[in-house]
Amino acid sequence: MESMVMKVLLLAAAFFTVCTNFAVGYDGYGGNTGGVTKVTGQVLCQDCSKSYNEWVNNAIPLKGVKVSLTCMDNRRRVMYYRSDETNEEGRFEMSVDKYAYQNKEVKSERCRVRLVSSPHPGCNVFTDFNGGKSGVKLRRPSSVYRDTVAYTMQPFYFTSPMCEKPDVQELQANNY
């Protein structure tokens, strides 16, 4: 009987510890109470001239691509901006402290990540695949641990100039 009581107490203590760690890093859906928001992801180049399997599975990582993190305040004004360049593997990583701007809280649900530029002449056309061109809001964290809330973005893509679609509005304006 004593061993059963000990097991229940140990289980209750473990459950309490897990819940407490989660509550310290994350307060409800979309709002963090932690000290740092961390955003990671990858940027790849897709070649539209390849077959579908090659196009989907053989994207090439792009080094030197600029990716930005922009956070807005309650009045939809930019309160925090940061950019990062991708490494050899096409990966980027940015962090923002919760009170990075004049002791005002930077809320992760008001932040967007987007592509800014590509230095590669053969792969510099923006795509909106996974929201890279228009920007992606930080919605669901990939991990929450103590004072860090991490977001892992789906891969963003650039493509080659030969894959660029013509601007239909511009063609219509020129009567083509």
Side-chain angles (χ1 to χ4, degrees), residues 9-42:
L9 286 175
L10 270 166
L11 187 59
F15 180 73
F16 178 75
T17 302
V18 168
C19 291
T20 303
N21 282 342
F22 184 74
V24 166
Y26 191 67
D27 178 26
Y29 181 76
N32 72 45
T33 58
V36 177
T37 298
K38 184 176 176 181
V39 179
T40 60
Q42 187 174 29

PDB file of all heavy atoms in Angstrom, residues 9-42:
ATOM      1  N   LEU A   9       2.204   9.841  -5.494  1.00  0.00           N
ATOM      2  CA  LEU A   9       2.832  11.115  -5.138  1.00  0.00           C
ATOM      3  C   LEU A   9       3.928  11.492  -6.142  1.00  0.00           C
ATOM      4  O   LEU A   9       4.044  12.652  -6.536  1.00  0.00           O
ATOM      5  CB  LEU A   9       3.410  11.053  -3.728  1.00  0.00           C
ATOM      6  CG  LEU A   9       2.389  11.109  -2.591  1.00  0.00           C
ATOM      7  CD1 LEU A   9       3.077  10.903  -1.247  1.00  0.00           C
ATOM      8  CD2 LEU A   9       1.642  12.429  -2.605  1.00  0.00           C
ATOM      9  N   LEU A  10       4.744  10.528  -6.545  1.00  0.00           N
ATOM     10  CA  LEU A  10       5.780  10.795  -7.543  1.00  0.00           C
ATOM     11  C   LEU A  10       5.174  11.218  -8.874  1.00  0.00           C
ATOM     12  O   LEU A  10       5.655  12.157  -9.515  1.00  0.00           O
ATOM     13  CB  LEU A  10       6.646   9.552  -7.752  1.00  0.00           C
ATOM     14  CG  LEU A  10       7.864   9.467  -6.848  1.00  0.00           C
ATOM     15  CD1 LEU A  10       8.454   8.071  -6.872  1.00  0.00           C
ATOM     16  CD2 LEU A  10       8.893  10.475  -7.273  1.00  0.00           C
ATOM     17  N   LEU A  11       4.130  10.543  -9.290  1.00  0.00           N
ATOM     18  CA  LEU A  11       3.448  10.888 -10.535  1.00  0.00           C
ATOM     19  C   LEU A  11       2.855  12.296 -10.460  1.00  0.00           C
ATOM     20  O   LEU A  11       2.973  13.091 -11.390  1.00  0.00           O
ATOM     21  CB  LEU A  11       2.359   9.861 -10.846  1.00  0.00           C
ATOM     22  CG  LEU A  11       1.658   9.986 -12.184  1.00  0.00           C
ATOM     23  CD1 LEU A  11       2.661   9.874 -13.314  1.00  0.00           C
ATOM     24  CD2 LEU A  11       0.588   8.925 -12.320  1.00  0.00           C
ATOM     25  N   ALA A  12       2.236  12.628  -9.328  1.00  0.00           N
ATOM     26  CA  ALA A  12       1.654  13.965  -9.150  1.00  0.00           C
ATOM     27  C   ALA A  12       2.746  15.040  -9.173  1.00  0.00           C
ATOM     28  O   ALA A  12       2.571  16.103  -9.770  1.00  0.00           O
ATOM     29  CB  ALA A  12       0.871  14.026  -7.847  1.00  0.00           C
ATOM     30  N   ALA A  13       3.886  14.761  -8.536  1.00  0.00           N
ATOM     31  CA  ALA A  13       4.991  15.725  -8.523  1.00  0.00           C
ATOM     32  C   ALA A  13       5.551  15.933  -9.930  1.00  0.00           C
ATOM     33  O   ALA A  13       5.846  17.056 -10.339  1.00  0.00           O
ATOM     34  CB  ALA A  13       6.091  15.260  -7.573  1.00  0.00           C
ATOM     35  N   ALA A  14       5.699  14.846 -10.686  1.00  0.00           N
ATOM     36  CA  ALA A  14       6.201  14.959 -12.059  1.00  0.00           C
ATOM     37  C   ALA A  14       5.230  15.756 -12.923  1.00  0.00           C
ATOM     38  O   ALA A  14       5.646  16.619 -13.707  1.00  0.00           O
ATOM     39  CB  ALA A  14       6.426  13.571 -12.648  1.00  0.00           C
ATOM     40  N   PHE A  15       3.948  15.492 -12.789  1.00  0.00           N
ATOM     41  CA  PHE A  15       2.934  16.226 -13.552  1.00  0.00           C
ATOM     42  C   PHE A  15       2.966  17.712 -13.207  1.00  0.00           C
ATOM     43  O   PHE A  15       2.929  18.569 -14.076  1.00  0.00           O
ATOM     44  CB  PHE A  15       1.544  15.636 -13.266  1.00  0.00           C
ATOM     45  CG  PHE A  15       0.443  16.323 -14.001  1.00  0.00           C
ATOM     46  CD1 PHE A  15       0.274  16.134 -15.363  1.00  0.00           C
ATOM     47  CD2 PHE A  15      -0.423  17.188 -13.343  1.00  0.00           C
ATOM     48  CE1 PHE A  15      -0.734  16.782 -16.048  1.00  0.00           C
ATOM     49  CE2 PHE A  15      -1.436  17.842 -14.019  1.00  0.00           C
ATOM     50  CZ  PHE A  15      -1.587  17.636 -15.378  1.00  0.00           C
ATOM     51  N   PHE A  16       3.069  18.030 -11.929  1.00  0.00           N
ATOM     52  CA  PHE A  16       3.132  19.423 -11.481  1.00  0.00           C
ATOM     53  C   PHE A  16       4.362  20.122 -12.061  1.00  0.00           C
ATOM     54  O   PHE A  16       4.282  21.263 -12.521  1.00  0.00           O
ATOM     55  CB  PHE A  16       3.149  19.478  -9.950  1.00  0.00           C
ATOM     56  CG  PHE A  16       3.269  20.874  -9.412  1.00  0.00           C
ATOM     57  CD1 PHE A  16       2.181  21.735  -9.442  1.00  0.00           C
ATOM     58  CD2 PHE A  16       4.468  21.337  -8.906  1.00  0.00           C
ATOM     59  CE1 PHE A  16       2.291  23.029  -8.967  1.00  0.00           C
ATOM     60  CE2 PHE A  16       4.588  22.623  -8.426  1.00  0.00           C
ATOM     61  CZ  PHE A  16       3.496  23.469  -8.459  1.00  0.00           C
ATOM     62  N   THR A  17       5.511  19.433 -12.070  1.00  0.00           N
ATOM     63  CA  THR A  17       6.744  20.018 -12.603  1.00  0.00           C
ATOM     64  C   THR A  17       6.609  20.326 -14.088  1.00  0.00           C
ATOM     65  O   THR A  17       6.994  21.401 -14.544  1.00  0.00           O
ATOM     66  CB  THR A  17       7.928  19.059 -12.375  1.00  0.00           C
ATOM     67  OG1 THR A  17       8.040  18.806 -10.974  1.00  0.00           O
ATOM     68  CG2 THR A  17       9.229  19.649 -12.886  1.00  0.00           C
ATOM     69  N   VAL A  18       6.053  19.395 -14.845  1.00  0.00           N
ATOM     70  CA  VAL A  18       5.869  19.608 -16.288  1.00  0.00           C
ATOM     71  C   VAL A  18       4.937  20.791 -16.537  1.00  0.00           C
ATOM     72  O   VAL A  18       5.209  21.659 -17.358  1.00  0.00           O
ATOM     73  CB  VAL A  18       5.339  18.330 -16.966  1.00  0.00           C
ATOM     74  CG1 VAL A  18       4.879  18.618 -18.388  1.00  0.00           C
ATOM     75  CG2 VAL A  18       6.411  17.254 -16.959  1.00  0.00           C
ATOM     76  N   CYS A  19       3.821  20.831 -15.826  1.00  0.00           N
ATOM     77  CA  CYS A  19       2.862  21.930 -16.005  1.00  0.00           C
ATOM     78  C   CYS A  19       3.468  23.273 -15.628  1.00  0.00           C
ATOM     79  O   CYS A  19       3.233  24.271 -16.296  1.00  0.00           O
ATOM     80  CB  CYS A  19       1.598  21.678 -15.184  1.00  0.00           C
ATOM     81  SG  CYS A  19       0.615  20.312 -15.821  1.00  0.00           S
ATOM     82  N   THR A  20       4.260  23.307 -14.584  1.00  0.00           N
ATOM     83  CA  THR A  20       4.895  24.549 -14.150  1.00  0.00           C
ATOM     84  C   THR A  20       5.895  25.031 -15.194  1.00  0.00           C
ATOM     85  O   THR A  20       5.921  26.214 -15.532  1.00  0.00           O
ATOM     86  CB  THR A  20       5.602  24.351 -12.794  1.00  0.00           C
ATOM     87  OG1 THR A  20       4.642  23.898 -11.852  1.00  0.00           O
ATOM     88  CG2 THR A  20       6.220  25.638 -12.302  1.00  0.00           C
ATOM     89  N   ASN A  21       6.727  24.131 -15.726  1.00  0.00           N
ATOM     90  CA  ASN A  21       7.688  24.526 -16.764  1.00  0.00           C
ATOM     91  C   ASN A  21       6.976  25.063 -17.985  1.00  0.00           C
ATOM     92  O   ASN A  21       7.408  26.024 -18.600  1.00  0.00           O
ATOM     93  CB  ASN A  21       8.578  23.345 -17.160  1.00  0.00           C
ATOM     94  CG  ASN A  21       9.664  23.098 -16.152  1.00  0.00           C
ATOM     95  OD1 ASN A  21       9.974  23.960 -15.343  1.00  0.00           O
ATOM     96  ND2 ASN A  21      10.243  21.912 -16.199  1.00  0.00           N
ATOM     97  N   PHE A  22       5.880  24.443 -18.371  1.00  0.00           N
ATOM     98  CA  PHE A  22       5.134  24.908 -19.534  1.00  0.00           C
ATOM     99  C   PHE A  22       4.547  26.289 -19.261  1.00  0.00           C
ATOM    100  O   PHE A  22       4.619  27.177 -20.099  1.00  0.00           O
ATOM    101  CB  PHE A  22       4.022  23.912 -19.882  1.00  0.00           C
ATOM    102  CG  PHE A  22       3.281  24.277 -21.131  1.00  0.00           C
ATOM    103  CD1 PHE A  22       3.863  24.092 -22.371  1.00  0.00           C
ATOM    104  CD2 PHE A  22       2.020  24.820 -21.069  1.00  0.00           C
ATOM    105  CE1 PHE A  22       3.198  24.432 -23.528  1.00  0.00           C
ATOM    106  CE2 PHE A  22       1.343  25.167 -22.229  1.00  0.00           C
ATOM    107  CZ  PHE A  22       1.934  24.965 -23.457  1.00  0.00           C
ATOM    108  N   ALA A  23       3.978  26.498 -18.083  1.00  0.00           N
ATOM    109  CA  ALA A  23       3.339  27.773 -17.752  1.00  0.00           C
ATOM    110  C   ALA A  23       4.356  28.904 -17.671  1.00  0.00           C
ATOM    111  O   ALA A  23       4.060  30.037 -18.006  1.00  0.00           O
ATOM    112  CB  ALA A  23       2.588  27.658 -16.437  1.00  0.00           C
ATOM    113  N   VAL A  24       5.579  28.617 -17.230  1.00  0.00           N
ATOM    114  CA  VAL A  24       6.596  29.653 -17.139  1.00  0.00           C
ATOM    115  C   VAL A  24       6.956  30.177 -18.522  1.00  0.00           C
ATOM    116  O   VAL A  24       7.127  31.363 -18.724  1.00  0.00           O
ATOM    117  CB  VAL A  24       7.856  29.106 -16.418  1.00  0.00           C
ATOM    118  CG1 VAL A  24       9.045  30.022 -16.610  1.00  0.00           C
ATOM    119  CG2 VAL A  24       7.565  28.922 -14.952  1.00  0.00           C
ATOM    120  N   GLY A  25       7.035  29.297 -19.530  1.00  0.00           N
ATOM    121  CA  GLY A  25       7.457  29.712 -20.864  1.00  0.00           C
ATOM    122  C   GLY A  25       6.338  30.168 -21.764  1.00  0.00           C
ATOM    123  O   GLY A  25       6.562  30.841 -22.738  1.00  0.00           O
ATOM    124  N   TYR A  26       5.096  29.816 -21.461  1.00  0.00           N
ATOM    125  CA  TYR A  26       4.033  30.075 -22.413  1.00  0.00           C
ATOM    126  C   TYR A  26       2.737  30.345 -21.670  1.00  0.00           C
ATOM    127  O   TYR A  26       2.317  29.573 -20.833  1.00  0.00           O
ATOM    128  CB  TYR A  26       3.889  28.850 -23.314  1.00  0.00           C
ATOM    129  CG  TYR A  26       3.004  29.059 -24.501  1.00  0.00           C
ATOM    130  CD1 TYR A  26       3.381  29.932 -25.506  1.00  0.00           C
ATOM    131  CD2 TYR A  26       1.818  28.374 -24.626  1.00  0.00           C
ATOM    132  CE1 TYR A  26       2.586  30.120 -26.606  1.00  0.00           C
ATOM    133  CE2 TYR A  26       1.013  28.549 -25.734  1.00  0.00           C
ATOM    134  CZ  TYR A  26       1.406  29.415 -26.715  1.00  0.00           C
ATOM    135  OH  TYR A  26       0.620  29.595 -27.803  1.00  0.00           O
ATOM    136  N   ASP A  27       2.100  31.455 -21.989  1.00  0.00           N
ATOM    137  CA  ASP A  27       0.876  31.837 -21.306  1.00  0.00           C
ATOM    138  C   ASP A  27      -0.255  31.899 -22.314  1.00  0.00           C
ATOM    139  O   ASP A  27      -0.484  32.922 -22.940  1.00  0.00           O
ATOM    140  CB  ASP A  27       1.080  33.205 -20.639  1.00  0.00           C
ATOM    141  CG  ASP A  27      -0.166  33.691 -19.936  1.00  0.00           C
ATOM    142  OD1 ASP A  27      -0.981  32.844 -19.526  1.00  0.00           O
ATOM    143  OD2 ASP A  27      -0.315  34.915 -19.809  1.00  0.00           O
ATOM    144  N   GLY A  28      -0.946  30.802 -22.507  1.00  0.00           N
ATOM    145  CA  GLY A  28      -2.065  30.781 -23.440  1.00  0.00           C
ATOM    146  C   GLY A  28      -1.600  30.701 -24.869  1.00  0.00           C
ATOM    147  O   GLY A  28      -0.426  30.771 -25.183  1.00  0.00           O
ATOM    148  N   TYR A  29      -2.533  30.535 -25.759  1.00  0.00           N
ATOM    149  CA  TYR A  29      -2.227  30.367 -27.177  1.00  0.00           C
ATOM    150  C   TYR A  29      -1.792  31.696 -27.776  1.00  0.00           C
ATOM    151  O   TYR A  29      -2.513  32.665 -27.767  1.00  0.00           O
ATOM    152  CB  TYR A  29      -3.468  29.838 -27.904  1.00  0.00           C
ATOM    153  CG  TYR A  29      -3.247  29.615 -29.352  1.00  0.00           C
ATOM    154  CD1 TYR A  29      -2.545  28.513 -29.788  1.00  0.00           C
ATOM    155  CD2 TYR A  29      -3.706  30.518 -30.285  1.00  0.00           C
ATOM    156  CE1 TYR A  29      -2.322  28.300 -31.132  1.00  0.00           C
ATOM    157  CE2 TYR A  29      -3.489  30.315 -31.625  1.00  0.00           C
ATOM    158  CZ  TYR A  29      -2.794  29.209 -32.037  1.00  0.00           C
ATOM    159  OH  TYR A  29      -2.569  29.007 -33.364  1.00  0.00           O
ATOM    160  N   GLY A  30      -0.577  31.745 -28.290  1.00  0.00           N
ATOM    161  CA  GLY A  30      -0.114  32.924 -29.004  1.00  0.00           C
ATOM    162  C   GLY A  30       0.604  33.966 -28.177  1.00  0.00           C
ATOM    163  O   GLY A  30       1.189  34.870 -28.724  1.00  0.00           O
ATOM    164  N   GLY A  31       0.605  33.867 -26.866  1.00  0.00           N
ATOM    165  CA  GLY A  31       1.266  34.891 -26.070  1.00  0.00           C
ATOM    166  C   GLY A  31       2.336  34.289 -25.211  1.00  0.00           C
ATOM    167  O   GLY A  31       2.082  33.363 -24.470  1.00  0.00           O
ATOM    168  N   ASN A  32       3.547  34.801 -25.295  1.00  0.00           N
ATOM    169  CA  ASN A  32       4.570  34.206 -24.456  1.00  0.00           C
ATOM    170  C   ASN A  32       4.847  35.100 -23.272  1.00  0.00           C
ATOM    171  O   ASN A  32       4.683  36.297 -23.320  1.00  0.00           O
ATOM    172  CB  ASN A  32       5.842  33.918 -25.262  1.00  0.00           C
ATOM    173  CG  ASN A  32       6.607  35.153 -25.638  1.00  0.00           C
ATOM    174  OD1 ASN A  32       6.803  36.036 -24.815  1.00  0.00           O
ATOM    175  ND2 ASN A  32       7.053  35.233 -26.861  1.00  0.00           N
ATOM    176  N   THR A  33       5.225  34.468 -22.185  1.00  0.00           N
ATOM    177  CA  THR A  33       5.639  35.222 -21.019  1.00  0.00           C
ATOM    178  C   THR A  33       7.123  35.011 -20.791  1.00  0.00           C
ATOM    179  O   THR A  33       7.661  35.483 -19.819  1.00  0.00           O
ATOM    180  CB  THR A  33       4.858  34.782 -19.768  1.00  0.00           C
ATOM    181  OG1 THR A  33       5.077  33.385 -19.573  1.00  0.00           O
ATOM    182  CG2 THR A  33       3.388  35.056 -19.910  1.00  0.00           C
ATOM    183  N   GLY A  34       7.758  34.253 -21.684  1.00  0.00           N
ATOM    184  CA  GLY A  34       9.177  33.992 -21.570  1.00  0.00           C
ATOM    185  C   GLY A  34       9.988  35.214 -21.920  1.00  0.00           C
ATOM    186  O   GLY A  34       9.464  36.239 -22.335  1.00  0.00           O
ATOM    187  N   GLY A  35      11.284  35.084 -21.771  1.00  0.00           N
ATOM    188  CA  GLY A  35      12.154  36.208 -22.020  1.00  0.00           C
ATOM    189  C   GLY A  35      12.607  36.339 -23.455  1.00  0.00           C
ATOM    190  O   GLY A  35      12.981  37.409 -23.892  1.00  0.00           O
ATOM    191  N   VAL A  36      12.595  35.228 -24.225  1.00  0.00           N
ATOM    192  CA  VAL A  36      13.149  35.251 -25.571  1.00  0.00           C
ATOM    193  C   VAL A  36      12.230  34.518 -26.537  1.00  0.00           C
ATOM    194  O   VAL A  36      11.703  33.455 -26.227  1.00  0.00           O
ATOM    195  CB  VAL A  36      14.541  34.577 -25.595  1.00  0.00           C
ATOM    196  CG1 VAL A  36      15.107  34.527 -27.000  1.00  0.00           C
ATOM    197  CG2 VAL A  36      15.500  35.289 -24.677  1.00  0.00           C
ATOM    198  N   THR A  37      12.054  35.109 -27.726  1.00  0.00           N
ATOM    199  CA  THR A  37      11.383  34.435 -28.827  1.00  0.00           C
ATOM    200  C   THR A  37      12.460  34.133 -29.855  1.00  0.00           C
ATOM    201  O   THR A  37      13.198  35.024 -30.272  1.00  0.00           O
ATOM    202  CB  THR A  37      10.298  35.328 -29.456  1.00  0.00           C
ATOM    203  OG1 THR A  37       9.312  35.613 -28.472  1.00  0.00           O
ATOM    204  CG2 THR A  37       9.642  34.640 -30.639  1.00  0.00           C
ATOM    205  N   LYS A  38      12.559  32.863 -30.255  1.00  0.00           N
ATOM    206  CA  LYS A  38      13.588  32.420 -31.192  1.00  0.00           C
ATOM    207  C   LYS A  38      12.909  31.904 -32.450  1.00  0.00           C
ATOM    208  O   LYS A  38      11.965  31.123 -32.383  1.00  0.00           O
ATOM    209  CB  LYS A  38      14.404  31.307 -30.534  1.00  0.00           C
ATOM    210  CG  LYS A  38      15.559  30.815 -31.326  1.00  0.00           C
ATOM    211  CD  LYS A  38      16.319  29.780 -30.499  1.00  0.00           C
ATOM    212  CE  LYS A  38      17.446  29.184 -31.298  1.00  0.00           C
ATOM    213  NZ  LYS A  38      18.175  28.171 -30.511  1.00  0.00           N
ATOM    214  N   VAL A  39      13.388  32.354 -33.617  1.00  0.00           N
ATOM    215  CA  VAL A  39      12.809  31.964 -34.907  1.00  0.00           C
ATOM    216  C   VAL A  39      13.906  31.356 -35.768  1.00  0.00           C
ATOM    217  O   VAL A  39      14.963  31.962 -35.957  1.00  0.00           O
ATOM    218  CB  VAL A  39      12.202  33.182 -35.627  1.00  0.00           C
ATOM    219  CG1 VAL A  39      11.619  32.782 -36.969  1.00  0.00           C
ATOM    220  CG2 VAL A  39      11.151  33.859 -34.765  1.00  0.00           C
ATOM    221  N   THR A  40      13.648  30.144 -36.290  1.00  0.00           N
ATOM    222  CA  THR A  40      14.607  29.472 -37.161  1.00  0.00           C
ATOM    223  C   THR A  40      13.909  28.983 -38.426  1.00  0.00           C
ATOM    224  O   THR A  40      12.692  28.823 -38.433  1.00  0.00           O
ATOM    225  CB  THR A  40      15.268  28.269 -36.468  1.00  0.00           C
ATOM    226  OG1 THR A  40      14.252  27.324 -36.103  1.00  0.00           O
ATOM    227  CG2 THR A  40      16.047  28.689 -35.244  1.00  0.00           C
ATOM    228  N   GLY A  41      14.690  28.743 -39.459  1.00  0.00           N
ATOM    229  CA  GLY A  41      14.128  28.226 -40.702  1.00  0.00           C
ATOM    230  C   GLY A  41      15.202  28.018 -41.740  1.00  0.00           C
ATOM    231  O   GLY A  41      16.399  28.126 -41.448  1.00  0.00           O
ATOM    232  N   GLN A  42      14.770  27.739 -42.961  1.00  0.00           N
ATOM    233  CA  GLN A  42      15.693  27.467 -44.056  1.00  0.00           C
ATOM    234  C   GLN A  42      15.160  28.088 -45.342  1.00  0.00           C
ATOM    235  O   GLN A  42      13.945  28.166 -45.543  1.00  0.00           O
ATOM    236  CB  GLN A  42      15.864  25.959 -44.236  1.00  0.00           C
ATOM    237  CG  GLN A  42      16.930  25.567 -45.226  1.00  0.00           C
ATOM    238  CD  GLN A  42      17.155  24.061 -45.270  1.00  0.00           C
ATOM    239  OE1 GLN A  42      16.263  23.279 -45.021  1.00  0.00           O
ATOM    240  NE2 GLN A  42      18.368  23.670 -45.600  1.00  0.00           N
TER     241      GLN A  42
END
